[in-house]
Amino acid sequence: MNTHPQVLDGTGAEISGLSAPAIGTPRTRVEGRDKVSGKARYAGDIPIERLAHGAVVTATIASGRITAIDPSATLASPGVIGVIDHRNAPRVDPEAGSPFFGPDGQLQLLQDDQIAHGGWPVALVVAETHEQARAGAERLRVSYVEQPHDIAFSPGHPAARPALSAFGPDANKGDLDAELAASAVVVDESYTTPAQHACAMEPHVATAWLEGAVLRGIDSNQAPYGIAAQLATLFGKPLSDVRVQVEQVGGGFGSKTGLGPQLILATMATMLFHRPVRVALTREEVFLATSARPRTDQRVRLGADRDGRLRAIGHEAAFEISGKSEFIENCVEIAKTLYAADAIRTRLNVVPLNILPVASVRAPGTAPGSFALESAMDELAERLDMDPLDLRRRNEPEVGPVSGLPFTSRNFQLCLSEGARQFGWAGRDHRPRRRREGHLLIGTGMAGTSFFTTAFPSSATITAEQDGTFTVAIAAIDIGTGARTALHAIAADALRVGWDRIRLRIGDSAIGPAWQAGGSLGTTSWGWAIVAAARDLLEQLESGPALPVSVTSDTTEEIMSRPHRERHSYSAVFAEVAVDPATGEVRVRRLVGRFAVGRVVNPLMVRSQLTGGMIMGLSIALQEEVVRDEVSGRQVNADFAGYHFAANADVPFIDADFVEDHEPDDPLGMKGPGEIGTVAVAAAIANAVWHATGKRHRELPIRLDRVIED
Amino acid sequence: MKEFAYSRATAVHDALTSVVGQENARFLAGGTNLVDLMKRGVETPDRLVDVRALPLDGVHEARNGDLVIGATTTNSDAAAHPEIRRRYPALSQAVLAGASGQLRNMATVAGNLLQRTRCAYFADLSSACNKRVPGSGCAAVAGVHHNHAILGASPACVATSPSDMAVPMMLFDAVVHYETLDGKGEIPISRFYRPVGDTPHLETTLPDGALITSVTLPSAAAGERSRYRKVRERASYAFATVSVAADLVVRSGQVREVRIALGGVASHPWRARIAEEELRGGPATPERFRAAAEAELSAAKPLPHNGYKLRLARNLIQSVLTEIVH
Amino acid sequence: MTNDARSEISLHINGTTHRLTVDNRRTLLDALREDTRHIGSKKGCDFGQCGACTVLVNGRRVVSCLTLAVAAEGAEVITVEGLAVNDELRPVQEAFVRLDGLQCGFCTSGQLCSAVGVLAEHAAGWPSAVTPDLSPDQPHRPLDADEVRERMSGNLCRCGAYPSIVRAVLEAAECEEVNR
């Protein structure tokens, strides 16, 4: 791989002979040349000798059990090697799961005859080619007894119960009812958001094989180490006998943080058939059998004095969940940190249904949560007859509004003012339906957010080589974030050497424990470990030892010993929309985002990531929704023709940039820019649509049939 | 996908001969719809006869001035053709509004006219669908039908045609020419698509084993000011929610000529003859356009979740006609 | 497998002729990826709904996932691996890297092949759905951002690199105009 990126000045022009620190300098991706010439290798691209292919068969019912599987036609089909179903699959550990949410029933593939959601994998057909495997899968006859399914989500569902509290307890500050009663103006509205999918362009794919006792896997995922650990537990192997690798990952957006069905099924197949087996999920299977962001229903109550000072924030959210695994879609997180108020109360409930298990999709919790809270803030501004920007300026907290803890660095106001200035917000007529261009209605809107940040323990190994280079190894992964390039820069600066002397190894669970590309904290967590290892190595090198010398450093202690403080990123987003009331079409004309995301390692890539996040927010506002058939209980739009997200023509040039920010409790001053771009955009667009048309949209997406006028 | 035999025909007669007596043979052109349906198991041919090497490509003007579009002309070539752009701009606009640049480079004009519905239940073998398996029922009526038909549907099927191209073809009174081993034939597009009734699996009046050889656009039907407008759930690369093709000639404020066709509302492109009748000879005003659209749509039978298409179709007819006037 | 279900074909890929025996079911995409190791073309949906598999066949961009390999018999195929000339990136490839018109990179091969197709289609005078006047007698207009957005809309990018992609294609278009 050519790992010499171009160094760019602020305008994108190339600079030569630069010897400044690597951090803070815009650089092109180290794998950029490989990616534009077709040489970058993804999990499905690696050639393996004697490879067999697995095709998945998924349940066509949403609830019930399998009564019979007749594989005779499949086994007679050309090229078929065998069929795995619940009768012959290797048994797995029922306790396997995640550290946050406990045992995960979604990992229990092919273990019994029970069906709890449409699309659940019921068999794997293994054949010499993938066409043969698919043809064999089409011939597999599976019989079911169907039972009534329940996919009817509502916050008042009889099975509703509190969500797990692993992400913090409910807020119970002050007396919400009393403060609402004392408020001059009150908003009490409910907001709903649909289930959504991550839709990484690369479908989940894995290849597994056995090398003696060692289970090897090449898997498209966001967490090589974490997934190897899950896989080891699931199949009862010591972690030293499991190795998961990947070079490039075609996007994740949360959907590849956990052990996916592709790797579990490929592992089972290689155990049974003693061949390397690749399982490439089809796009439909990615929709039906991986995971999704849950539907939410959120009641927001705000109370304020006439001057806009908030007295009360109530945010009660419910989200759907499958019966198989727990998850926390923490919609109420922002209500605990963004604004000061005398009373703050949050509740978070789950409603178990016969649906695909829910899990992380970019900005879990905050993406739907900010839509509700920041729409309600706009409604409050409307009822106060106040500039919504001023309302947000008026409620800046001194300390954590619920926790009482100090903030490490809080630059929300800077985001608001910089964003407003860039957008040209000043002088906006705040009354709705005032601007027209021909038959189009024009409106502007804004929203803001906070986004929780921290760092997670990781380990890195750095070797000072005899030739003067440094090999930096960490079980990190670059899913398109630019992590590889950023870690390269971090290592160069930490070792105080030029870019050329760093050799970076990532994407291999065997390197050692490391956090995932998740929570917007991959590069932050890995960077800290590299800094720690570089510091330890440089210390050792002072005594002039014989080379090579390796050190491995782990950040667990340092991270755990930080003081308790409120640590967040912040953003402000401004949107302009044009609405055709005759057709209901909404087009986003302008999007400006300003972000306080700590120190920026690579401005070029961070702007890309923030821009991309905002585009996902645009899609969430206008297009994205899982549509389920109430009769069959199954998703009916499980493809890209039915599940829409933004195409190029939907997206204007976007102004996404960062403000000066620094996280004092991180050795590099970093927070994470990975997800915050997606947050607050839906509210900003919904608020702009209200401003254009006078109609509130409390239900996403803002489809044309909801906008069209008589 | 099931195994199948493949051959490439180089003469029309060979193509026709190679499918004779084979119920499960299909002509393959661009493949953008057929290969898709084969992957889903909806189409299960034993034999594909590739017709793209046949001498049926290209657009030319007939002696009588009609424009002849060869059956295997790609959508891209049709849309870019100077005479189509000049005389039938709504057809160019419709083609360009469909699918993507890549798909338009593959898809052919004849294939487009035969495009099957994009109803999700039609594409899913585990769902009831009378179009795919006659007599199995229609899952869409009680299921998800947000984007289904409001006109001309039946309890047996509420699917819509996804074709953009077919809408202006209906507007311009195109004629479909075909060949069978018995000889040549032609069908005006107004009689090309069958009513749904209780036989939604029978979609066209094309005889068994027939190969479309060309589509002609009558010179008398040309409309230099004709327009196509498509509304969909994103700005590009999505099937129509509702689309309108229209042509209008106004003299001294009075409607001299008017033609309107709708897409996304029925099992086939819908010629709005009631609205045309309402407008002909009357004043060309937005109010009249709206009233005419409402007259056309008075026969509509929306389902519980697609009633918005009534408003959309009405507004769209009104705004396209108004745009042509201005 | 019966003999009827397989075919002997020749594919001319990036200037090299490959003789293959393929299952008639095999798509051009799979023939590229599995039989001839052109892994740059990607399978994002396999149903013509994302554009990640876009290649040029006889000079025109197509989705290789809906093209049967057997139907591409004899065709000239250019994949992303064939865009660079003597290891020298094309202007559009170079612009993608420099302007960061990619993140995860999975859609990138398709975006690039599509972009090359777009530039050729525009140079040939083909209009798009956003071309204001379709009349063939209009003078040739240079590509603008809206034209590029519409013409590139058959290539989905979930990372949201669209704005940089548009800038990169516009730069490449300028480059080609200068060269003409």
Side-chain angles (χ1 to χ4, degrees):
Chain A
M1 186 187 292
N2 177 347
T3 59
H4 295 276
Q6 294 166 279
V7 181
L8 308 169
D9 71 13
T11 63
E14 193 171 356
I15 302 172
S16 55
L18 199 87
S19 60
I23 293 177
T25 307
R27 280 172 199 260
T28 61
R29 281 165 211 272
V30 291
E31 73 284 2
R33 197 184 158 94
D34 284 347
K35 282 181 172 173
V36 299
S37 47
K39 290 178 188 144
R41 299 200 308 174
Y42 297 76
D45 298 340
I46 316 284
I48 307 273
E49 292 282 313
R50 296 181 60 241
L51 185 65
H53 297 261
V56 185
V57 179
T58 57
T60 54
I61 64 167
S63 175
R65 68 184 179 83
I66 302 164
T67 53
I69 296 181
D70 176 3
S72 52
T74 300
L75 293 171
S77 186
V80 170
I81 296 166
V83 178
I84 315 176
D85 60 37
H86 64 282
R87 297 166 304 181
N88 64 340
R91 297 300 105 183
V92 300
D93 185 342
E95 294 304 310
S98 91
F100 294 108
F101 309 122
D104 184 352
Q106 199 183 5
L107 305 181
Q108 303 292 310
L109 291 174
L110 312 185
Q111 298 299 293
D112 60 32
D113 59 1
Q114 299 297 307
I115 307 296
H117 71 84
W120 176 247
V122 296
L124 185 79
V125 174
V126 180
E128 297 292 339
T129 70
H130 79 85
E131 289 94 344
Q132 291 171 335
R134 188 57 55 194
E138 285 161 11
R139 290 185 172 98
L140 193 72
R141 281 192 281 278
V142 184
S143 313
Y144 304 94
V145 170
E146 206 169 346
Q147 284 150 9
H149 57 259
D150 181 4
I151 60 164
F153 173 69
S154 79
H157 192 285
R161 58 173 168 80
L164 295 184
S165 59
F167 291 175
D170 291 333
N172 283 301
K173 178 192 181 187
D175 183 338
L176 185 79
D177 294 329
E179 295 296 338
L180 285 169
S183 294
V185 175
V186 170
V187 169
D188 180 356
E189 298 290 352
S190 286
Y191 304 85
T192 60
T193 63
Q196 295 150 356
H197 275 282
C199 296
M201 292 308 296
E202 178 197 29
H204 298 48
V205 54
T207 307
W209 71 98
L210 286 159
E211 225 170 62
V214 178
L215 171 61
R216 299 283 305 269
I218 296 174
D219 180 47
S220 172
N221 69 55
Q222 298 176 232
Y225 181 82
I227 278 165
Q230 278 187 311
L231 193 62
T233 308
L234 191 69
F235 286 94
K237 284 179 164 287
L239 182 52
S240 53
D241 281 354
V242 175
R243 185 175 181 189
V244 174
Q245 289 170 276
V246 64
E247 292 176 23
Q248 306 291 344
V249 179
F253 314 111
S255 71
K256 296 172 180 171
T257 48
L259 173 55
Q262 73 283 0
L263 183 53
I264 299 172
L265 294 171
T267 299
M268 288 177 169
T270 199
M271 287 166 73
L272 283 187
F273 302 120
H274 313 291
R275 291 266 299 266
V277 177
R278 177 170 297 160
V279 175
L281 299 191
T282 63
R283 179 54 60 187
E284 183 184 41
E285 288 159 4
V286 174
F287 276 108
L288 297 181
T290 61
S291 59
R293 190 201 303 276
R295 282 172 82 170
T296 75
D297 188 303
Q298 307 174 56
R299 181 185 184 194
V300 180
R301 285 180 286 175
L302 301 175
D305 292 335
R306 236 319 121 213
D307 64 359
R309 193 185 69 85
L310 282 168
R311 283 175 166 271
I313 301 173
H315 193 163
E316 294 154 79
F319 63 92
E320 63 183 6
I321 195 168
S322 84
K324 286 195 182 294
S325 36
E326 289 290 338
F327 185 69
I328 304 170
E329 185 75 16
N330 196 9
C331 303
V332 300
E333 175 188 325
I334 306 165
K336 299 176 189 176
T337 61
L338 193 55
Y339 301 115
D342 302 315
I344 299 178
R345 174 191 156 102
T346 64
R347 293 292 182 270
L348 194 61
N349 282 340
V350 297
V351 177
L353 299 170
N354 292 116
I355 56 161
L356 175 70
V358 302
S360 294
V361 175
R362 200 177 202 171
T366 49
S370 69
F371 167 65
L373 182 67
E374 287 293 277
S375 292
M377 284 293 282
D378 206 64
E379 299 206 49
L380 182 63
E382 177 194 353
R383 291 174 205 190
L384 287 163
D385 195 18
M386 179 182 273
D387 180 345
L389 180 68
D390 287 343
L391 177 62
R392 285 159 174 98
R393 285 177 165 152
R394 202 157 297 184
N395 290 286
E396 181 72 2
E398 295 289 319
V399 294
V402 176
S403 70
L405 295 171
F407 291 101
T408 52
S409 63
R410 186 181 157 100
N411 280 313
F412 181 45
Q413 294 301 324
L414 189 56
C415 293
L416 289 170
S417 55
E418 285 292 302
R421 191 178 57 77
Q422 188 60 37
F423 187 79
W425 182 264
R428 171 189 187 252
D429 183 341
H430 304 299
R431 296 167 301 174
R433 219 176 166 97
R434 296 281 157 168
R435 274 179 70 192
R436 277 180 181 272
E437 283 178 23
H439 61 288
L440 298 175
L441 303 173
I442 313 299
T444 56
M446 56 87 52
T449 195
S450 62
F451 195 91
F452 174 74
T453 185
T454 182
F456 285 97
S458 296
S459 66
T461 298
I462 306 183
T463 305
E465 309 284 1
Q466 284 173 333
D467 64 1
T469 63
F470 294 86
T471 303
V472 179
I474 184 159
I477 188 68
D478 188 337
I479 59 171
T481 58
R484 184 181 279 106
T485 313
L487 295 179
H488 216 116
I490 289 169
D493 282 7
L495 292 160
R496 296 178 215 134
V497 297
W499 185 276
D500 293 356
R501 285 168 65 190
I502 303 299
R503 297 179 191 179
L504 185 69
R505 264 190 66 214
I506 61 172
D508 184 348
S509 68
I511 294 170
W515 179 244
Q516 58 184 230
S520 297
L521 296 166
T523 301
T524 305
S525 304
W526 304 322
W528 191 330
I530 288 171
V531 166
R535 181 190 60 209
D536 296 347
L537 178 65
L538 291 180
E539 216 175 275
Q540 283 204 21
L541 291 180
E542 276 173 20
S543 60
L547 299 181
V549 171
S550 277
V551 301
T552 299
S553 301
D554 183 286
T555 55
T556 308
E557 255 177 57
E558 280 181 74
I559 287 173
M560 294 307 172
S561 63
R562 288 176 305 171
H564 284 288
R565 303 212 270 182
E566 293 269 0
R567 294 187 188 86
H568 308 275
S569 306
Y570 297 91
S571 79
V573 175
F574 297 79
E576 179 178 297
V577 300
V579 179
D580 184 339
T583 63
E585 294 162 296
V586 177
R587 297 282 184 259
V588 177
R589 289 184 166 188
R590 286 201 296 147
L591 268 183
V592 172
R594 284 297 178 270
F595 300 88
V597 288
R599 189 166 169 216
V600 168
V601 175
N602 187 329
L604 177 70
M605 255 158 256
V606 168
R607 282 192 194 98
S608 290
Q609 214 178 1
L610 293 169
T611 299
M614 292 176 76
I615 292 170
M616 193 177 286
L618 183 158
S619 298
I620 287 171
L622 300 181
Q623 293 154 345
E624 294 191 40
E625 69 178 319
V626 168
V627 179
R628 301 190 190 112
D629 182 315
E630 287 172 20
V631 180
S632 74
R634 300 180 54 193
Q635 183 180 349
V636 293
N637 62 339
D639 65 16
F640 284 160
Y643 186 97
H644 286 158
F645 56 85
N648 202 323
D650 292 285
V651 179
F653 286 130
I654 288 174
D655 179 354
D657 213 343
F658 32 84
V659 300
E660 193 64 36
D661 191 36
H662 187 267
E663 169 55 44
D665 289 345
D666 182 274
L668 293 164
M670 292 172 64
K671 298 176 179 175
E675 294 165 281
I676 191 169
T678 301
V679 190
V681 177
I685 290 173
N687 296 338
V689 172
W690 167 78
H691 189 236
T693 65
K695 186 181 173 196
R696 284 286 169 196
H697 289 271
R698 302 186 183 98
E699 182 178 12
L700 292 181
I702 306 172
R703 289 195 317 244
L704 61 93
D705 60 294
R706 292 172 172 152
V707 179
I708 185 171
E709 296 180 6
D710 255 349
Chain B
M1 200 191 291
K2 210 179 66 176
E3 291 183 353
F4 58 86
Y6 169 92
S7 60
R8 191 178 287 191
T10 49
V12 171
H13 188 266
D14 294 346
L16 295 170
T17 312
S18 55
V19 303
V20 145
Q22 298 197 43
E23 198 184 326
N24 249 343
R26 292 282 184 281
F27 294 125
L28 171 72
T32 56
N33 194 200
L34 180 57
V35 175
D36 170 325
L37 292 173
M38 286 165 65
K39 287 185 181 190
R40 298 173 195 271
V42 174
E43 289 278 5
T44 55
D46 296 322
R47 167 173 292 276
L48 292 185
V49 178
D50 192 333
V51 297
R52 282 172 319 149
L54 297 179
L56 299 176
D57 185 17
V59 180
H60 69 271
E61 197 171 319
R63 286 210 181 140
N64 63 1
D66 291 358
L67 212 55
V68 181
I69 308 174
T72 61
T73 307
T74 63
N75 285 18
S76 297
D77 285 330
H81 195 276
E83 282 310 301
I84 294 180
R85 287 158 66 181
R86 192 173 283 125
R87 291 159 62 189
Y88 308 92
L91 178 57
S92 273
Q93 290 169 359
V95 173
L96 293 170
S100 68
Q102 294 93 310
L103 292 163
R104 294 193 293 270
N105 279 343
M106 301 167 70
T108 62
V109 167
N112 196 301
L113 292 180
L114 297 172
Q115 198 179 170
R116 312 294 304 273
T117 183
R118 301 285 167 164
C119 173
Y121 301 104
F122 174 69
D124 172 31
L125 298 189
S126 67
S127 297
C129 174
N130 287 321
K131 191 185 276 296
R132 180 168 31 78
V133 181
S136 63
C138 173
V141 170
V144 176
H145 51 244
H146 182 79
N147 202 16
H148 284 64
I150 54 171
L151 284 165
S154 83
C157 183
V158 292
T160 56
S161 158
S163 173
D164 289 295
M165 177 190 282
V167 181
M169 290 287 193
M170 191 64 84
L171 187 79
F172 294 126
D173 298 315
V175 178
V176 180
H177 298 260
Y178 64 86
E179 266 188 65
T180 67
L181 286 176
D182 297 331
K184 299 184 179 185
E186 58 178 65
I187 311 171
I189 192 132
S190 59
R191 293 209 298 274
F192 185 73
Y193 296 105
R194 291 173 187 254
V196 182
D198 50 11
T199 55
H201 59 294
L202 302 175
E203 296 180 349
T204 72
T205 54
L206 206 59
D208 278 349
L211 178 71
I212 298 177
T213 50
S214 68
V215 180
T216 52
L217 298 171
S219 65
E224 284 170 25
R225 290 168 61 87
S226 63
R227 291 183 72 91
Y228 184 76
R229 170 108 188 262
K230 175 180 183 179
V231 172
R232 42 186 154 174
E233 287 177 345
R234 65 181 169 199
S236 188
Y237 200 17
F239 294 105
T241 300
V242 173
S243 65
V244 170
D247 189 26
L248 179 66
V249 179
V250 177
R251 294 273 186 279
S252 323
Q254 301 292 302
V255 174
R256 283 276 301 273
E257 290 290 336
V258 62
R259 285 170 295 171
I260 305 165
L262 302 172
V265 296
S267 68
H268 54 81
W270 187 269
R271 184 74 181 264
R273 295 191 193 278
I274 297 169
E276 293 174 8
E277 202 53 43
E278 286 278 315
L279 288 171
R280 213 164 274 132
T285 64
E287 296 71 30
R288 295 274 306 146
F289 299 153
R290 183 181 168 103
E294 278 172 349
E296 182 70 41
L297 294 162
S298 62
K301 293 197 185 79
L303 296 158
H305 306 298
N306 67 358
Y308 73 96
K309 283 193 172 186
L310 281 172
R311 264 173 298 158
L312 182 52
R314 180 201 62 201
N315 293 355
L316 210 50
I317 291 171
Q318 183 186 7
S319 72
V320 171
L321 292 176
T322 307
E323 277 173 42
I324 297 175
V325 172
H326 292 294
Chain C
M1 193 181 293
T2 61
N3 282 339
D4 249 14
R6 301 172 75 86
S7 301
E8 308 270 332
I9 62 167
S10 293
L11 293 176
H12 310 293
I13 307 168
N14 303 329
T16 303
T17 299
H18 298 257
R19 290 185 213 292
L20 306 169
T21 303
V22 293
D23 186 330
N24 288 343
R25 293 174 293 189
R26 182 140 283 203
T27 60
L28 176 59
L29 173 61
D30 288 325
L32 289 170
R33 291 180 51 80
E34 311 280 335
D35 297 329
T36 65
R37 297 296 307 152
H38 292 85
I39 57 163
S41 306
K42 296 294 190 254
K43 190 182 287 187
C45 74
D46 214 20
F47 282 93
Q49 298 169 352
C50 79
C53 65
T54 302
V55 298
L56 299 156
V57 171
N58 296 331
R60 291 191 173 186
R61 54 180 174 147
V62 302
V63 288
S64 58
C65 73
L66 292 181
T67 304
L68 294 173
V70 63
E73 205 297 305
E76 295 284 344
V77 181
I78 304 285
T79 70
V80 69
E81 290 94 340
L83 295 184
V85 183
N86 299 330
D87 221 31
E88 183 104 339
L89 296 184
R90 280 200 196 204
V92 70
Q93 289 172 295
E94 190 277 325
F96 263 62
V97 175
R98 187 165 36 78
L99 301 174
D100 214 27
L102 61 132
Q103 292 180 38
C104 82
F106 198 77
C107 72
T108 307
S109 307
Q111 300 277 3
L112 287 163
C113 288
S114 201
V116 170
V118 164
L119 297 179
E121 290 165 12
H122 177 257
W126 290 13
S128 86
V130 298
T131 306
D133 187 344
L134 288 188
S135 163
D137 314 316
Q138 290 292 310
H140 185 77
R141 295 168 62 242
L143 278 177
D144 61 20
D146 280 341
E147 284 281 356
V148 174
R149 288 185 185 113
E150 164 58 27
R151 291 167 190 259
M152 290 295 291
S153 277
N155 293 82
L156 299 181
C157 169
R158 185 57 158 168
C159 295
Y162 295 133
S164 306
I165 290 169
V166 172
R167 289 191 177 98
V169 175
L170 285 172
E171 265 201 19
E174 264 180 47
C175 219
E176 294 214 346
E177 292 278 337
V178 170
N179 289 343
R180 249 205 305 277

